[in-house]
Amino acid sequence: MKITSSEAMSNIKEFFPTINNDLTKVTWALNVHNDEGFHYALEVKWMMIESDVELQSEGFGHRYISLPKIKKYKFEKNGMTLKHFLQKVADAKSLGVKLNFDKINVFGKSIKVLQAMSGK
């Protein structure tokens, strides 16, 4: 998985050569937040998926930790971890991803996950 930045990847045109330098041909699946949405994006062959990342507490008893997870809807029981989400993207080998971090501490907790996935 390549992390899009000015150092890691020069532009979206190289990632999707089939668009023939026409960025209007890039297709987006917005607010992908669960396995069903992810599989639908693959089925429809969207090029890019967009998701929001938030911190969610997990634990037992008095021990809780905050994990970066894909933001879930209120009716959903558990959110997908950022690591699981990025592994699915890496396994697909055909998707780009845009992640939204609404707070700096969310990004801070996500950096290790992003670094671990770099190059996959």
Side-chain angles (χ1 to χ4, degrees), residues 61-94:
H62 297 290
R63 298 196 44 114
Y64 284 88
I65 59 170
S66 293
L67 294 174
K69 290 190 169 189
I70 300 303
K71 190 172 186 175
K72 61 183 173 63
Y73 285 114
K74 291 180 183 182
F75 60 85
E76 292 179 316
K77 190 173 182 179
N78 294 314
M80 187 185 320
T81 65
L82 178 60
K83 182 179 180 178
H84 177 72
F85 181 81
L86 292 176
Q87 188 61 56
K88 290 174 78 69
V89 171
D91 291 345
K93 300 189 187 314
S94 61

Coordinates of all heavy atoms in Angstrom, one line a residue, residues 61-94:
G61 N -13.2 -4.0 32.2 CA -13.0 -3.6 33.6 C -12.5 -2.2 33.7 O -13.2 -1.3 33.1
H62 N -11.4 -1.9 34.3 CA -10.9 -0.6 34.5 C -9.8 -0.2 33.4 O -9.2 0.8 33.5 CB -10.3 -0.4 35.9 CG -11.3 -0.5 37.0 ND1 -12.3 0.4 37.2 CD2 -11.5 -1.5 37.9 CE1 -13.1 0.0 38.2 NE2 -12.6 -1.1 38.6
R63 N -9.5 -1.2 32.5 CA -8.5 -0.9 31.6 C -9.1 -0.7 30.2 O -9.7 -1.6 29.6 CB -7.5 -2.1 31.5 CG -6.8 -2.3 32.8 CD -5.7 -3.2 32.7 NE -4.8 -2.9 31.6 CZ -3.6 -2.5 31.7 NH1 -3.0 -2.3 32.8 NH2 -2.9 -2.3 30.6
Y64 N -8.9 0.5 29.7 CA -9.4 0.9 28.4 C -8.3 1.6 27.6 O -7.5 2.3 28.2 CB -10.6 1.9 28.5 CG -11.9 1.2 28.9 CD1 -12.2 1.0 30.2 CD2 -12.8 0.7 27.9 CE1 -13.4 0.4 30.6 CE2 -13.9 0.1 28.3 CZ -14.2 -0.1 29.6 OH -15.4 -0.7 30.0
I65 N -8.3 1.4 26.3 CA -7.4 2.1 25.5 C -8.2 2.7 24.3 O -9.3 2.2 24.0 CB -6.3 1.1 24.9 CG1 -6.9 0.0 24.1 CG2 -5.4 0.6 26.0 CD1 -5.9 -0.8 23.3
S66 N -7.6 3.7 23.7 CA -8.3 4.4 22.6 C -7.6 3.9 21.3 O -6.4 4.0 21.2 CB -8.2 5.9 22.7 OG -8.9 6.4 23.7
L67 N -8.4 3.3 20.4 CA -7.8 2.8 19.1 C -8.4 3.6 18.0 O -9.5 4.0 18.0 CB -8.3 1.4 18.9 CG -7.7 0.3 19.9 CD1 -8.4 -1.0 19.6 CD2 -6.2 0.2 19.8
P68 N -7.5 3.9 17.0 CA -8.1 4.5 15.8 C -8.9 3.5 15.0 O -8.5 2.4 14.7 CB -6.8 4.9 15.0 CG -5.7 4.1 15.5 CD -6.1 3.7 16.9
K69 N -10.2 4.0 14.8 CA -11.1 3.1 14.1 C -11.9 4.0 13.0 O -11.9 5.2 13.1 CB -12.2 2.5 15.0 CG -11.6 1.5 16.0 CD -12.7 0.8 16.7 CE -12.2 -0.4 17.4 NZ -13.4 -1.2 17.9
I70 N -12.4 3.3 12.1 CA -13.3 3.9 11.1 C -14.6 4.3 11.8 O -15.2 3.5 12.5 CB -13.5 3.0 9.9 CG1 -12.2 2.6 9.2 CG2 -14.5 3.7 8.9 CD1 -11.3 3.8 8.7
K71 N -15.0 5.6 11.6 CA -16.2 6.1 12.3 C -17.4 5.2 11.9 O -17.6 4.9 10.7 CB -16.4 7.5 11.9 CG -17.4 8.2 12.7 CD -17.5 9.7 12.4 CE -18.4 10.4 13.3 NZ -18.4 11.9 13.1
K72 N -18.1 4.9 12.9 CA -19.3 4.0 12.6 C -20.6 4.8 12.9 O -20.6 5.8 13.5 CB -19.3 2.8 13.5 CG -19.3 3.1 15.0 CD -19.2 1.8 15.8 CE -19.0 2.0 17.2 NZ -20.1 2.7 18.0
Y73 N -21.7 4.3 12.3 CA -23.0 4.9 12.6 C -23.4 4.4 13.9 O -23.0 3.4 14.5 CB -24.0 4.5 11.5 CG -23.8 5.2 10.2 CD1 -23.4 4.5 9.1 CD2 -24.0 6.6 10.1 CE1 -23.3 5.2 7.8 CE2 -23.9 7.2 8.9 CZ -23.5 6.5 7.8 OH -23.3 7.2 6.6
K74 N -24.4 5.2 14.5 CA -24.8 4.9 15.9 C -25.4 3.5 16.0 O -25.3 2.9 17.1 CB -25.8 6.0 16.3 CG -25.2 7.3 16.5 CD -26.3 8.4 16.9 CE -25.6 9.7 17.0 NZ -26.5 10.7 17.5
F75 N -26.1 3.0 15.0 CA -26.8 1.7 15.1 C -25.8 0.6 14.9 O -26.2 -0.6 15.1 CB -27.9 1.6 14.1 CG -27.4 1.8 12.6 CD1 -27.0 0.7 11.9 CD2 -27.5 3.0 12.0 CE1 -26.5 0.8 10.6 CE2 -27.1 3.1 10.7 CZ -26.6 2.0 10.0
E76 N -24.5 0.8 14.5 CA -23.6 -0.3 14.4 C -22.9 -0.6 15.7 O -22.6 0.3 16.5 CB -22.5 0.1 13.3 CG -23.1 0.3 11.9 CD -22.0 0.7 10.9 OE1 -21.2 1.6 11.2 OE2 -22.0 0.1 9.9
K77 N -22.7 -1.9 15.9 CA -22.2 -2.3 17.2 C -20.7 -2.0 17.3 O -20.3 -1.4 18.3 CB -22.4 -3.8 17.3 CG -22.1 -4.4 18.7 CD -22.6 -5.8 18.8 CE -22.3 -6.3 20.2 NZ -22.7 -7.7 20.4
N78 N -19.9 -2.4 16.4 CA -18.4 -2.3 16.5 C -17.9 -1.6 15.2 O -18.3 -1.9 14.1 CB -17.7 -3.6 16.7 CG -18.0 -4.2 18.0 OD1 -18.0 -3.6 19.0 ND2 -18.3 -5.5 18.0
G79 N -16.9 -0.7 15.4 CA -16.3 -0.1 14.3 C -15.1 -0.9 13.8 O -14.5 -1.7 14.6
M80 N -14.7 -0.8 12.5 CA -13.6 -1.4 12.0 C -12.3 -0.7 12.4 O -12.3 0.5 12.3 CB -13.8 -1.4 10.4 CG -12.7 -2.3 9.7 SD -12.8 -2.2 7.9 CE -14.6 -2.2 7.5
T81 N -11.3 -1.4 12.8 CA -10.1 -0.7 13.2 C -9.4 -0.2 11.9 O -9.6 -0.7 10.8 CB -9.1 -1.7 13.9 OG1 -8.7 -2.7 13.0 CG2 -9.7 -2.3 15.2
L82 N -8.7 0.9 12.1 CA -7.9 1.5 11.0 C -7.0 0.5 10.4 O -6.9 0.4 9.2 CB -7.2 2.7 11.5 CG -6.3 3.4 10.4 CD1 -7.2 3.9 9.3 CD2 -5.5 4.6 11.1
K83 N -6.3 -0.3 11.2 CA -5.4 -1.4 10.7 C -6.2 -2.4 9.8 O -5.7 -2.7 8.7 CB -4.8 -2.1 11.9 CG -3.8 -3.1 11.4 CD -3.1 -3.8 12.6 CE -2.1 -4.8 12.2 NZ -1.4 -5.5 13.3
H84 N -7.3 -2.8 10.2 CA -8.1 -3.8 9.5 C -8.5 -3.1 8.1 O -8.5 -3.8 7.1 CB -9.3 -4.3 10.3 CG -10.2 -5.2 9.5 ND1 -9.9 -6.5 9.3 CD2 -11.5 -5.0 9.0 CE1 -10.9 -7.1 8.6 NE2 -11.8 -6.2 8.5
F85 N -9.0 -1.9 8.2 CA -9.5 -1.2 7.0 C -8.3 -1.1 6.0 O -8.5 -1.4 4.8 CB -10.0 0.2 7.5 CG -10.5 1.0 6.3 CD1 -11.8 0.8 5.8 CD2 -9.7 2.0 5.8 CE1 -12.3 1.6 4.8 CE2 -10.2 2.8 4.7 CZ -11.5 2.6 4.3
L86 N -7.1 -0.6 6.5 CA -6.0 -0.4 5.6 C -5.5 -1.7 5.0 O -5.0 -1.8 3.9 CB -4.9 0.3 6.3 CG -5.2 1.8 6.6 CD1 -4.1 2.4 7.4 CD2 -5.5 2.6 5.4
Q87 N -5.6 -2.8 5.8 CA -5.2 -4.1 5.3 C -6.1 -4.6 4.2 O -5.7 -5.1 3.2 CB -5.2 -5.2 6.4 CG -4.6 -6.5 6.0 CD -3.2 -6.4 5.5 OE1 -2.3 -5.9 6.3 NE2 -2.9 -6.8 4.3
K88 N -7.4 -4.3 4.3 CA -8.4 -4.6 3.2 C -8.0 -3.8 2.0 O -8.1 -4.3 0.9 CB -9.8 -4.3 3.7 CG -10.3 -5.3 4.7 CD -11.6 -4.9 5.3 CE -12.8 -5.3 4.4 NZ -13.0 -6.6 4.2
V89 N -7.7 -2.5 2.1 CA -7.3 -1.7 1.0 C -6.0 -2.3 0.3 O -6.0 -2.4 -0.9 CB -7.1 -0.2 1.4 CG1 -6.4 0.6 0.3 CG2 -8.4 0.4 1.9
A90 N -5.0 -2.6 1.1 CA -3.8 -3.2 0.6 C -4.0 -4.5 -0.1 O -3.5 -4.8 -1.2 CB -2.8 -3.4 1.7
D91 N -4.9 -5.4 0.4 CA -5.2 -6.6 -0.2 C -5.9 -6.5 -1.5 O -5.8 -7.3 -2.4 CB -6.0 -7.5 0.7 CG -5.3 -8.0 2.0 OD1 -4.0 -7.9 2.0 OD2 -5.9 -8.4 2.9
A92 N -6.8 -5.4 -1.6 CA -7.5 -5.2 -2.9 C -6.6 -4.8 -4.0 O -6.9 -5.1 -5.2 CB -8.6 -4.1 -2.6
K93 N -5.5 -4.1 -3.7 CA -4.5 -3.6 -4.7 C -5.1 -2.8 -5.8 O -4.5 -2.6 -6.8 CB -3.8 -4.8 -5.3 CG -3.0 -5.6 -4.2 CD -2.1 -6.6 -4.8 CE -1.4 -7.5 -3.9 NZ -0.9 -7.0 -2.7
S94 N -6.3 -2.3 -5.7 CA -6.9 -1.6 -6.8 C -7.6 -0.3 -6.3 O -8.3 0.4 -7.1 CB -8.0 -2.4 -7.5 OG -9.0 -2.8 -6.6

